[in-house]
Structures are given as C-alpha cells and as structure tokens.
C-alpha cells in the first residue's frame, strides 16, 4: 500500500460568535484541508488553520509547503513504514508546523484505517471519552458573563476565559464570571502573552487572594520570555501552563528543566503533528508533568486528531478542544461526537471522518 497522491483544498465554516483573544479576532474557520490517497484507494484526511500570529503559517505557506516540499518526498512511499514516512515528512522542510500537522494526521488516519482500528486505540487507547473546556472570548465583562452562563446552560463544566488586555481589570472579569457560574465550574484563564512577568504575578496573586479557584493560567507572558515564565511560575500557587512558549519537544525539555511552567499545552499545529506530540508526552511522563491537549481555531477534522491523541495518553489530563463547539455547523460525516463538552471517540477506523465536503469523489 503506497501513497499515490496528496490533494489540497479549502474549507470555510462560520463561527457562532467572533473569536477574540489578546492577539487577534477571527470571524470564521478558513482552513486548508488535505486528502492523502493510497494506491488501493484508501484515504486519510488532514486540516491546517493559518494561525499566522502564533505559528507564522498562512494559507499560502501551508499550500506551498505541502505541494512543493512534503508531497514530492512522500509520494510512492509505503504507508506501513510510519517511521520512515515521519522522518521524510519532518526532513522535507524546516518549520511549517501547520502544513506538517495536516499531513501527519492524514498519514495516521490512513495508517489506523489500514489496521482497521480507531486512531486513539492505535496510539495507546487510554479512554473512549475526553472532556473539553469551552473558550470565552475577551470582551466587555457583562458579555463574558453572559457567554459563560450560556456555556454552562449548554452543559459545559469547564470554561477557558481569554484575558490579557487590561491588566488588573482582568481580575474583575474572572471574579464576575466566578460569581455568576458558581463554585462547581472549572475556570481556566488564558492571557495569550498579554502581561509582563511582574504584572502577571500581581494579577494572579489578586485572583488567589479572592479565592477565585483558578485551575491554571495559560501563557501569562511573551512566548520567548522563559525567564519571565519562570519568574511567574515560582511566585504564584496557581499552576502555569506554557502554550506559545512550547512548540517542539526540545522546547518542552527546556521549559520543564527551567521550571518555567507547571503544565504544557500540546497543539498539533505547533508540534507539526502527532509524531512530535508523542515525544512531548514521553518527556512529560518522564518528568511527571501533566499536559493539556489544545487546538487552534480548527474545525472538527483537525480537532479530532487532537482528541484521538488526548484519548490515547494518560499524561494528557486536560483538553481544550472546543473548535467544533465554536463552529456554526459541522460539514463532516463521521468522527468523534462532540456534545456539551464531552467528546465521545469513534470506534470506526482512523480519525473516523468519512466525508469532507470539498472532496466529493
Ligand atoms: Mg493558549
């Protein structure tokens, strides 16, 4: 069974409400989707969002990386030889992690299908269900409270609140949301690099003094400011989660050894796919550090690849896989079922996605 072709297309899905963070505002999922076809007619699907402000990847760069560098090195290779495929994929071009992630997940999809098993079972099979949080975009306090209450009414038990734009005023946001949703809801806070180190310590300490019971604070300071991450991590009780600071397995080792975070957020678009993400899982296991499985603004296809990894590995104790929950519609057939924060894994082969609208035949 050899790889015959890699086809590239696009998908657009409107969001329920605009996605706002300290870094950007987005109105719709507008992603590259791909299909890897084998010579016996099997297909594997992949997706990559152009998250230029985080990964540097644009739609144009994703298409060019796959078409001009990745596809020529993979076509004609055996699907069974996953190790060889992964070496070829990662050796084909530097960086371009989103393009690599799309191809990596399509290859894993194809591989698991060739074994007749759901991907999460091929990767370890820890559990068949994953609980995700839902992101609440940054905005006026009353709007954030309203969005939080709506999410809880829908059945979500974990909320991830975007902050990082207004310093100490962010504490008021979290306080208002905590008072509105009550004590039983888990609240995570994502500053998206919006604070400096001293400011972060002041804000997080204020939240601790108010007993707001925050599960974790994600990426308080700039991605490259590891000294700042270490400063914050060592001065607050609340666990600090490294997101933009950790792309690769090498980054994970550095962050853990420096004590620059308590937790690591793994995203396939940062690692370049499942193969590299598994290395971070192993490193985290060695050091006894827990991971979160996150996603960019992705639709159900790419998010499901992350969900399969999260379901497979016990070291991934938290999930932020709310892409499908933010989309107005689900254009795919098959795959895991997403309902009010619970992701029920498919027992069908591979990622489980059986139809992607732009690939009809
Ligand atoms: Mg984040």
């Amino acid at each position: 069974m050899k790889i015959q072709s890699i086809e590239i297309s696009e998908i657009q899905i409107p969001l329920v409400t605009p996605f706002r963070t300290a870094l950007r505002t987005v109105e719709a999922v507008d992603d590259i989707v791909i299909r890897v076809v084998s010579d016996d007619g099997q297909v594997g699907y992949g997706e990559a969002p152009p998250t230029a402000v985080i990964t540097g990847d644009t739609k144009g760069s994703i298409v060019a990386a796959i078409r001009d560098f990745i596809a020529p090195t993979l076509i004609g290779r055996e699907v069974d030889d996953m190790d060889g495929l992964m070496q070829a994929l990662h050796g084909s071009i530097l960086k371009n992690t989103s393009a690599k992630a799309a191809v990596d997940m399509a290859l894993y999809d194809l591989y698991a299908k060739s074994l007749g098993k759901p991907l999460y079972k091929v990767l370890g099979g820890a559990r068949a269900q994953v609980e995700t949080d839902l992101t609440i975009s940054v905005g006026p306090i009353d709007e954030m409270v309203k969005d939080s209450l709506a999410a809880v009414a829908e059945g979500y038990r974990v909320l991830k609140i975007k902050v990082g734009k207004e310093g100490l005023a962010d504490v008021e946001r979290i306080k208002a949301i905590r008072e509105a949703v009550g004590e039983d809801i888990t609240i995570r806070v994502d500053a998206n690099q919006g604070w400096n180190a001293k400011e972060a310590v002041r804000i997080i300490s204020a939240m601790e003094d108010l007993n707001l019971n925050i599960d974790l604070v994600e990426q308080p300071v700039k991605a490259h400011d590891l000294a700042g991450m270490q400063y914050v991590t060592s001065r607050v009780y609340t666990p600090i989660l490294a997101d933009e600071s950790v792309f690769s397995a090498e980054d994970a080792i550095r962050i853990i050894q420096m004590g620059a975070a308590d937790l690591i957020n793994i995203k396939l678009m940062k690692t370049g796919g499942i193969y590299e993400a598994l290395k971070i899982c192993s490193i985290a296991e060695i050091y006894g550090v827990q991971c979160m499985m996150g996603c960019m603004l992705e639709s159900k296809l790419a998010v499901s690849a992350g969900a399969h990894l999260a379901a497979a590995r016990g070291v991934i104790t938290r999930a932020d896989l709310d892409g499908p929950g933010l989309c107005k519609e689900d254009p795919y057939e098959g795959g895991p079922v997403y309902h009010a924060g619970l992701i029920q894994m498919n027992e069908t082969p591979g990622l489980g996605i059986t139809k992607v609208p732009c690939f009809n035949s």
Side-chain angles (χ1 to χ4, degrees):
M1 182 171 161
K2 288 189 166 119
I3 293 172
Q4 192 171 58
S5 62
I6 298 180
E7 298 160 19
I8 305 170
S9 189
E10 295 185 14
I11 195 160
Q12 282 85 26
I13 308 169
L15 297 178
V16 179
T17 52
F19 184 82
R20 287 195 194 91
T21 77
L23 291 173
R24 60 190 178 132
T25 297
V26 186
E27 310 273 345
V29 164
D30 186 4
D31 291 358
I32 301 297
V33 286
I34 67 151
R35 178 165 81 160
V36 177
V37 184
S38 67
D39 58 3
D40 65 350
Q42 294 255 48
V43 295
Y45 294 110
E47 174 191 357
T51 318
V53 292
I54 297 171
T55 62
D57 299 323
T58 64
K59 282 168 88 173
S61 74
I62 293 165
V63 170
I66 296 173
R67 185 192 57 209
D68 301 339
F69 293 87
I70 298 171
T73 53
L74 297 182
I75 287 167
R77 285 178 179 268
E78 288 288 340
V79 174
D80 277 352
D81 178 18
M82 276 298 272
D83 190 63
L85 282 172
M86 288 299 150
Q87 303 307 326
L89 168 62
H90 288 280
S92 63
I93 184 169
L94 266 183
K95 301 183 189 278
N96 287 279
T97 50
S98 302
K100 286 173 181 166
V103 176
D104 163 288
M105 72 179 73
L107 292 174
Y108 272 101
D109 185 21
L110 197 54
Y111 181 63
K113 280 175 181 165
S114 76
L115 300 174
K117 291 192 164 157
L119 181 56
Y120 82 96
K121 286 198 172 160
V122 173
L123 297 175
R127 62 214 147 196
Q129 208 177 50
V130 174
E131 181 168 20
T132 175
D133 57 35
L134 184 75
T135 299
I136 304 298
S137 281
V138 65
I141 292 187
D142 53 345
E143 214 170 276
M144 292 178 79
V145 168
K146 197 176 100 218
D147 290 347
S148 301
L149 286 171
V152 170
E154 223 181 294
Y156 284 93
R157 298 186 304 178
V158 188
L159 302 178
K160 183 164 119 169
I161 316 294
K162 293 285 191 184
V163 295
K165 282 187 154 176
E166 287 179 48
L168 268 178
D170 285 335
V171 178
E172 294 306 314
R173 293 194 151 81
I174 306 301
K175 183 167 173 266
I177 291 169
R178 172 55 82 203
E179 280 166 4
V181 301
E183 291 301 318
D184 294 340
I185 301 299
T186 299
I187 294 181
R188 297 170 181 157
V189 172
D190 190 354
N192 283 107
Q193 315 177 53
W195 303 325
N196 65 43
K198 287 192 174 188
E199 199 178 16
V201 170
R202 179 134 193 256
I203 293 167
I204 297 166
S205 301
M207 293 195 288
E208 290 172 354
D209 292 344
L210 289 167
N211 283 321
L212 297 184
N213 191 20
I214 304 306
D215 181 46
L216 58 87
V217 172
E218 190 170 334
Q219 198 65 44
V221 304
K222 290 265 181 281
H224 65 264
D225 185 11
L226 300 192
M229 288 289 284
Q230 185 188 44
Y231 180 94
V232 178
T233 301
S234 64
R235 281 167 179 78
V236 299
Y237 178 76
T238 307
I240 300 300
L241 172 77
D243 181 9
E244 289 94 323
S245 289
V246 175
F247 270 55
S248 65
E250 293 87 343
D251 294 340
I253 292 175
R254 197 174 308 121
I255 282 272
I256 292 172
Q257 290 190 335
M258 281 182 69
D262 300 291
L263 305 161
I264 288 174
N265 190 350
I266 301 174
K267 291 179 180 169
L268 299 181
M269 298 304 144
K270 297 188 298 179
T271 60
I274 293 166
Y275 183 75
E276 289 294 314
L278 285 168
K279 293 182 187 171
I280 298 185
C281 289
S282 297
I283 292 161
E285 280 163 10
I286 292 165
Y287 285 95
V289 166
Q290 296 177 4
C291 298
M292 175 188 259
M293 190 72 221
C295 62
M296 301 296 184
L297 203 48
E298 300 156 17
S299 71
K300 181 172 153 180
L301 175 47
V303 172
S304 294
H308 274 275
L309 179 59
R313 304 300 292 250
V315 74
I316 301 174
T317 54
R318 295 169 171 85
D320 173 28
L321 296 171
D322 59 356
L326 303 173
C327 289
K328 213 175 248 176
E329 54 209 50
D330 173 10
Y332 305 104
E333 283 175 22
V337 176
Y338 295 73
H339 180 68
L342 288 181
I343 306 172
Q344 183 66 42
M345 302 312 298
N346 53 282
E347 296 304 325
T348 51
L351 294 174
I353 306 274
T354 51
K355 196 169 174 202
V356 175
C358 46
F359 300 117
N360 282 323
S361 56

